[in-house]
Amino acid sequence: MKKNMIVALAAPLLVAAAVSSCSVEASVGTSNSISKSDLASATQKSLAEKFGDQTGEVRCKGDLEKKDGATQECAIKDRNGWLPITITAKGSDGKFNYEVGTAVIPEPTW
């Protein structure tokens, strides 16, 4: 019984560790920024393609400026709570990378 409990507790942590090293590129939006809803949607879609049904809701704090190096805060809900995501713009054509943190954060109010 103890062994099963350890495996059950460790599985979500392994998912978070796998997601944390993820850096994927997406391209959305036609204005000078990517709206927070488009940013959340594109990030969630990219994570779902990479990790399947293990991904949950993604929320972003605001729009992402289409300027090389611009950043925005987002978060993804997993089985243990919310994990932070840092989005970084690549150039000015709507492409961006993201990095998912492993430390659970409070549910975002944005």
Side-chain angles (χ1 to χ4, degrees):
M1 178 73 163
K2 231 179 193 179
K3 184 177 180 183
N4 291 342
M5 187 167 70
I6 291 170
V7 170
L9 292 173
L13 296 176
L14 293 175
V15 170
V19 173
S20 70
S21 63
C22 183
S23 182
V24 177
E25 209 172 81
S27 183
V28 294
T30 56
S31 67
N32 290 334
S33 65
I34 302 169
S35 73
K36 72 180 192 175
S37 61
D38 285 347
L39 188 61
S41 179
T43 303
Q44 198 284 329
K45 181 180 177 185
S46 178
L47 284 164
E49 288 172 358
K50 197 157 190 77
F51 298 103
D53 291 333
Q54 301 173 40
T55 61
E57 177 187 359
V58 173
R59 294 183 191 169
C60 293
K61 188 174 185 175
D63 297 351
L64 177 67
E65 187 179 2
K66 289 184 181 177
K67 178 180 174 186
D68 194 39
T71 62
Q72 186 53 260
E73 296 175 53
C74 295
I76 186 168
K77 186 173 183 179
D78 82 349
R79 290 179 267 176
N80 292 325
W82 290 86
L83 298 173
I85 304 174
T86 301
I87 307 282
T88 306
K90 291 184 65 175
S92 60
D93 60 358
K95 294 181 180 178
F96 62 89
N97 288 334
Y98 59 83
E99 296 287 335
V100 180
T102 58
V104 174
I105 60 172
E107 181 176 354
T109 57
W110 20 269

